[in-house]
Amino acid sequence: MQIITEPCQMQAVVEKLRLNRQLIAVVMTMGALHEGHLSLVKQARSLAGTVILTIFVNPKQFGPDEDFHRYPRPFELDASHAKAAGVDYLFAPSPEAIYPEGFQTTVQTGAVAEGLEGMKRPGHFNGVVTVVTKLLHITKPHIALFGEKDAQQLAVINRLVRDLNLDVRIIGAPIVREENGLAVSSRNIYLSKEQRESATVLFRGILHAEKELAAGRTDLAAIAGEIERMIAGEPECRPDYVCFVHDNDFMTAETAEPAREYRLLIAAYAGTVRLIDNRRFTT
Ligand code: PAF
């Protein structure tokens, strides 16, 4: 595995690979690699001859009160996981390499990024699509894989690719869970033993929705309210939002209609750690 830190060096490598008709897949991360990231790498390995993993903690997608400075950066460990998972190139630029002095051009998101995470984290998705656009131009992949845990991010990136005619195929990969149902996340390391236990309520909320919808209920807003109360009832937990959206445009859905696709989105705090989870349902 080769580690590359300079955008122009990465671009030179991928240009050569493309000339040699190599199929390239990229997995973009902010590091602190976990089973979710590694499952993306595994899928990338099965789809393409060359796999690039990017590690970049993107300052532009963190709000002023968020955890940018304390975000975990275990680079040596990440590099060894990446190598063991079969990554060919690890692209790990510095903030100055991505945002050099004078940087001023950004990508703006639209309606799909406005609610939910977009509302709770102003500017977040503009930061995400700006860096994703840059990383796509630097790594020039045929395929880019993203986890479905960040469901709204995936929808925003799909919109970006369609709207700007970016020549890449986006693949969403299923959420990886711990045995107790907790969705794996780089932020789980902040959780105490007790908080980790309480945080399983997000998954229990998903199972509650699954059961209620299977029983024929259509009152999505009421089910979301029940899940909020389940979360509020757990020690050290509080809901941020629980809501069903139409899976195609992420607009809120109050009542389920037959043969439609909805997504339940949950954001909640366990202590000071903000966690998200989701599940798609077809009625
Ligand atoms: O999902 C993430 O880890 C980040 O938002 C991404 C896509 C790597 C952009 O910084």
Side-chain angles (χ1 to χ4, degrees), residues 7-253:
C8 57
Q9 195 194 345
M10 187 74 251
Q11 280 172 319
V13 167
V14 289
E15 264 152 36
K16 222 181 242 168
L17 288 167
R18 276 186 163 252
L19 276 177
N20 289 331
R21 310 189 78 76
Q22 275 284 321
L23 202 66
I24 303 168
V26 71
V27 175
M28 297 180 190
T29 79
M30 299 203 302
L33 300 182
H34 51 60
E35 284 307 316
H37 297 124
L38 298 176
S39 78
L40 291 174
V41 170
K42 195 168 165 199
Q43 197 175 343
R45 262 274 59 104
S46 72
L47 294 171
T50 299
V51 175
I52 303 174
L53 180 90
T54 71
I55 295 184
F56 180 64
V57 185
N58 175 30
K60 292 212 182 292
Q61 68 187 75
F62 287 79
D65 299 328
E66 293 184 17
D67 57 348
F68 173 68
H69 291 291
R70 73 169 185 138
Y71 198 85
R73 291 167 171 86
F75 184 74
E76 300 303 324
L77 191 63
D78 282 349
S80 75
H81 285 321
K83 189 170 175 196
V87 168
D88 298 299
Y89 297 95
L90 172 53
F91 179 57
S94 65
E96 296 72 34
I98 293 294
Y99 301 118
E101 217 180 300
F103 178 89
Q104 54 186 262
T105 307
T106 57
V107 183
Q108 301 291 312
T109 53
V112 68
E114 270 167 19
L116 306 152
E117 289 303 288
M119 195 153 82
K120 296 285 174 182
R121 306 180 67 189
H124 170 70
F125 284 126
N126 285 340
V128 169
V129 291
T130 297
V131 83
V132 167
T133 305
K134 285 186 66 102
L135 291 171
L136 287 174
H137 284 301
I138 294 167
T139 59
K140 301 191 201 316
H142 300 91
I143 302 165
L145 297 97
F146 296 90
E148 273 182 18
K149 186 169 87 65
D150 295 295
Q152 194 178 7
Q153 168 174 282
L154 182 56
V156 167
I157 291 171
N158 273 316
R159 196 68 257 171
L160 162 81
V161 166
R162 282 202 298 274
D163 288 349
L164 301 189
N165 301 92
L166 302 182
D167 192 11
V168 61
R169 182 173 146 222
I170 302 295
I171 295 183
I175 297 175
V176 176
R177 298 184 180 280
E178 296 183 2
E179 248 173 55
N180 59 12
L182 181 66
V184 301
S185 159
S186 303
R187 291 188 169 100
N188 289 355
I189 58 161
Y190 300 142
L191 295 170
S192 68
K193 196 162 166 276
E194 293 71 28
Q195 289 166 349
R196 186 174 279 266
E197 183 49 45
S198 295
T200 60
V201 71
L202 278 75
F203 184 59
R204 283 182 273 127
I206 288 173
L207 296 181
H208 174 70
E210 192 170 81
K211 189 166 99 278
E212 297 304 306
L213 290 173
R217 275 180 69 185
T218 55
D219 47 346
L220 300 178
I223 296 172
E226 289 155 17
I227 298 169
E228 280 196 5
R229 286 191 287 282
M230 285 171 70
I231 295 171
E234 281 294 319
E236 295 200 58
C237 280
R238 69 185 160 91
D240 195 4
Y241 61 77
V242 178
C243 132
F244 284 86
V245 294
H246 295 275
D247 196 41
N248 57 346
D249 59 8
F250 274 64
M251 293 298 152
T252 310

